[in-house]
């Protein structure tokens, strides 16, 4: 079974040289720590920055420089600032090649729910609805099941949706799944996890064809 | 020419009345007009406000001051976590909240300020955000019709400004400020440094002064940090 850092590491393998990438809050943020050698990606922060750098040192903290998770950050050489409407222009027009975000539920149609639990949690969608409606590649980083061991990889999302028919890939603590043609296709298993374990933890339709390789991390 | 420079936040907010619609720049606590918000909180008789702002401050800073005073009737925002008083008022029904996708919110302000009353966006299609809204297909993709926003007063915070109202923002404190400046019937800009015309390079001005009606230099900015994160 994968730890959060391993999920991030596995997603980092998907990055391609030259891509602009938006990383959501939580596990997706960790992807920045594992960008493979020789791959040059530019991180977009939807509050208005292309070219996000690492967290600052105590001396370099600038209250005017934060990421979309409101954390203090730094810039990289060649960074650029812009306003919120330009930021979402880039996103809406598909200039950002990859969006990685967390989810409470995903389903076999590529629908995703991650912004609201009726009666319990209403914090708002932030930029997630804009991102999932427009990005070409959307990878979801999440746990395969909830604390009660119920599947979060579903036939149909039960929570209010963030977007429909948009998720392309899901990387969980158990597996890498591709979402295609109304089903989850099992691509890889986490080290030490059997196909049966993945099957049992997946409520949505799971297509298993041939030998399923173990993830290489 | 009408003079745009005012003395301070108290003078800048003159004319804001009960029941008005305000836009307030900022993302989290970054780039919020902290001086004008503080001045508004000292006028608790100004209630029933509709506030358009990406976030709603925290309990003891930013819009949290106005929430505590029950000056806000309705918030239009994209993300409202991290504020216990906000949550309490929302769940008890005292506060009306219209959650709007962040990009849609930014575009509602930009378009409103650009004389465009509505636009189609894919954000929120197929979700509860789309309920009751017109949908249309363009090139095989579905979009929803969103109406633009304008305000009675837009209140923005800039790094530098000149007496003609031209503004320059710093780093990610720019965020919603330029679009909201455009969408104000009256736009108030508070700046860290107010300079004479000619001191700002015209090539580097972000918001042209035509969008700004009142401007003042604020003193001693607190610029509170929500998530102090170091490497």
């Amino acid at each position: 079974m994968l730890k959060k850092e391993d999920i991030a590491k596995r997603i980092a393998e998907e990055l391609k040289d030259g891509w602009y990438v938006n990383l959501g809050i939580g596990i997706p943020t960790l992807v920045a720590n594992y960008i493979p050698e020789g791959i040059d990606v530019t991180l977009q922060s939807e509050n208005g920055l292309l070219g996000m750098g690492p967290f600052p040192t105590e001396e370099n903290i600038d209250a005017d420089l934060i990421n979309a998770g409101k954390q203090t950050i730094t810039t990289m050489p060649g960074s650029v600032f812009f306003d919120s409407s330009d930021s979402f222009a880039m996103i809406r027009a598909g200039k950002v090649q990859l969006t990685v975000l967390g989810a409470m539920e995903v389903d076999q149609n590529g629908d995703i729910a991650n912004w609201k639990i009726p009666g319990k949690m209403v914090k708002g969608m932030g930029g997630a609805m804009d991102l999932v409606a427009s990005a070409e590649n959307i990878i979801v980083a999440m746990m395969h099941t909830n604390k009660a061991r119920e599947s979060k990889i579903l036939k149909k999302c039960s929570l209010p949706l963030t977007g429909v028919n948009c998720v392309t890939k899901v990387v969980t603590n158990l597996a890498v799944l591709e979402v295609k043609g109304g089903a989850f296709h099992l691509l890889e298993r986490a080290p030490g996890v059997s196909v049966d374990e993945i099957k049992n933890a997946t409520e949505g339709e799971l297509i298993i064809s041939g030998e399923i390789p173990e993830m290489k991390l | 020419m009408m003079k745009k420079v005012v003395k301070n936040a108290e003078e800048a907010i003159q004319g804001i009345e009960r029941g008005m619609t305000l836009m307030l720049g900022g993302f989290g606590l970054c780039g919020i007009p902290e001086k004008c918000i503080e001045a508004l909180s000292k006028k608790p008789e100004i209630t029933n406000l509709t506030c358009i702002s990406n976030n709603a401050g925290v309990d003891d800073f930013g819009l949290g001051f106005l929430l505590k005073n029950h000056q806000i009737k309705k918030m239009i925002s994209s993300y409202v976590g991290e504020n216990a008083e906000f949550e309490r008022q929302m769940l008890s029904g005292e506060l009306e909240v219209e959650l709007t996708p962040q990009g849609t919110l930014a575009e509602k302000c930009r378009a409103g300020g650009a004389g465009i009353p509505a636009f189609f966006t894919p954000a929120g299609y197929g979700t509860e955000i789309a309920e009751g809204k017109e949908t249309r297909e363009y090139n095989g993709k579905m979009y929803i019709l969103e109406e633009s926003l304008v305000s009675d007063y837009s209140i923005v915070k800039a790094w530098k400004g000149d007496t003609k109202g031209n503004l320059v923002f710093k780093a990610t404190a720019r965020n919603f400020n330029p679009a909201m400046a455009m969408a104000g019937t009256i736009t108030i800009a508070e700046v860290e440094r107010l300079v004479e015309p000619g001191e700002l390079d015209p090539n580097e001005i972000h918001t042209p002064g035509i969008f700004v009606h009142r401007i003042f230099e604020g003193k001693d900015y607190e610029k509170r940090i929500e998530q102090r994160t170091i490497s």
Side-chain angles (χ1 to χ4, degrees):
Chain A
M1 220 187 283
L2 298 187
K3 291 184 302 211
K4 287 179 178 177
E5 289 74 17
D6 295 328
I7 295 176
K9 213 184 236 179
R10 176 59 191 82
I11 291 171
E13 296 297 321
E14 303 282 320
L15 300 173
K16 300 250 186 329
D17 196 38
W19 270 7
Y20 292 99
V21 177
N22 183 290
L23 302 175
I25 295 162
I27 302 174
T29 306
L30 301 174
V31 174
N33 300 335
Y34 302 105
I35 298 169
E37 198 84 15
I39 299 282
D40 183 21
V41 298
T42 304
L43 299 179
Q44 202 254 16
S45 190
E46 67 266 24
N47 56 319
L49 167 60
L50 268 174
M52 181 166 54
F55 296 132
T57 58
E58 189 67 54
E59 307 79 69
N60 290 335
I61 282 187
D62 181 352
D64 291 324
L65 181 48
I66 63 169
N67 65 16
K70 301 172 191 164
Q71 296 169 310
T72 46
I73 42 144
T74 57
T75 55
M76 302 288 281
S79 287
V80 55
F81 299 117
F82 35 83
D83 76 56
S84 299
S85 64
D86 278 356
S87 179
F88 283 93
M90 297 168 197
I91 289 166
R92 232 182 271 108
K95 310 292 180 190
V96 176
Q97 278 92 357
L98 172 67
T99 288
V100 183
L101 74 176
M104 300 192 267
E105 296 176 344
V106 293
D107 72 28
Q108 62 198 37
N109 296 313
D111 296 359
I112 174 171
N114 71 354
W115 73 282
K116 183 179 184 180
I117 304 174
K120 268 194 195 156
M121 190 281 287
V122 191
K123 291 188 172 187
M125 67 294 282
M129 282 192 182
D130 309 89
L131 282 158
V132 301
S134 297
E136 209 176 307
N137 288 308
I138 297 167
I139 301 181
V140 174
M142 65 191 293
M143 293 295 142
H144 215 98
T145 55
N146 63 19
K147 285 187 185 120
R149 294 178 168 236
E150 294 157 335
S151 184
K152 305 207 285 186
I153 314 292
L154 306 172
K155 283 187 173 24
K156 188 106 201 80
C157 289
S158 65
L159 294 169
L161 295 177
T162 309
V164 293
N165 199 8
C166 56
V167 176
T168 48
K169 222 170 236 184
V170 186
V171 179
T172 74
N173 52 328
L174 302 182
V176 179
L177 307 164
E178 192 181 4
V179 188
K180 203 170 60 180
F184 293 103
H185 296 250
L186 182 57
L187 299 185
E188 296 170 25
R189 301 172 289 119
V193 174
S194 71
V195 169
D196 276 345
E197 281 174 81
I198 296 164
K199 231 195 258 174
N200 290 336
T202 306
E203 190 223 82
E205 191 182 341
L206 185 67
I207 302 207
I208 303 157
S209 55
E211 197 71 12
I212 305 298
E214 236 180 45
M215 275 176 224
K216 288 189 196 74
L217 290 166
Chain B
M1 190 187 151
M2 205 181 81
K3 197 170 152 292
K4 294 187 179 183
V5 178
V6 295
K7 245 190 351 264
N8 51 30
E10 290 67 40
E11 193 184 334
I13 63 163
Q14 290 291 322
I16 296 182
E17 288 170 17
R18 189 176 187 280
M20 280 187 169
T21 296
L22 310 182
M23 281 183 187
L24 300 112
F27 181 97
L29 300 179
C30 183
I32 61 169
E34 57 176 81
K35 300 299 168 196
C36 284
I37 294 172
E38 194 188 349
L40 278 168
S41 75
K42 287 179 180 155
K43 292 190 165 244
E45 67 280 10
I46 305 175
T47 57
N48 274 47
L49 295 170
T50 294
C51 291
I52 302 164
S53 171
N54 188 55
N55 313 86
V58 293
D59 280 327
D60 59 348
F61 199 61
L63 286 179
F65 288 138
L66 305 189
L67 283 165
K68 206 182 295 173
N69 289 347
H70 299 270
Q71 289 174 269
I72 303 175
K73 177 190 71 176
K74 180 179 178 180
M75 284 293 314
I76 301 178
S77 305
S78 88
Y79 186 84
V80 293
E82 279 89 60
N83 188 323
E85 177 60 16
F86 184 98
E87 207 168 337
R88 195 197 61 72
Q89 289 188 22
M90 178 169 67
L91 294 173
S92 71
E94 291 164 62
L95 181 68
E96 199 185 324
V97 181
E98 190 176 312
L99 289 169
T100 303
Q102 195 177 138
T104 298
L105 183 61
E107 192 60 19
K108 277 173 177 257
C109 299
R110 195 205 67 83
I116 295 172
F119 55 92
F120 281 97
T121 176
Y125 175 75
T127 76
E128 63 181 53
I129 296 305
E131 281 167 22
K133 290 174 186 162
E134 184 185 336
T135 60
R136 200 180 287 192
E137 186 182 329
Y138 288 98
N139 302 318
K141 188 168 167 139
M142 293 304 296
Y143 295 82
I144 64 178
L145 184 67
E146 291 280 7
E147 288 182 7
S148 305
L149 292 166
V150 290
S151 69
D152 294 309
Y153 282 80
S154 282
I155 310 177
V156 302
K157 153 81 188 0
W159 178 30
K160 293 184 283 191
D162 68 20
T163 57
K164 293 177 85 71
N166 297 307
L167 304 177
V168 176
F169 302 91
K170 190 180 148 218
T172 56
R174 193 183 317 181
N175 55 63
F176 281 82
N177 285 299
M180 288 182 169
M182 292 165 69
T185 306
I186 293 176
T187 292
I188 301 166
E190 53 174 86
V191 300
E192 290 176 56
R193 212 151 67 79
L194 184 63
V195 300
E196 291 302 316
E199 288 188 49
L200 299 176
D201 180 346
N203 288 300
E204 291 174 0
I205 289 166
H206 298 127
T207 292
I210 192 169
F211 294 119
V212 176
H213 306 90
R214 300 177 190 172
I215 189 165
F216 70 96
E217 186 176 288
K219 300 272 180 267
D220 305 318
Y221 275 90
E222 177 177 340
K223 294 197 191 179
R224 195 180 295 185
I225 294 173
E226 237 171 301
Q227 307 275 346
R228 177 177 286 268
T229 320
I230 52 171
S231 56

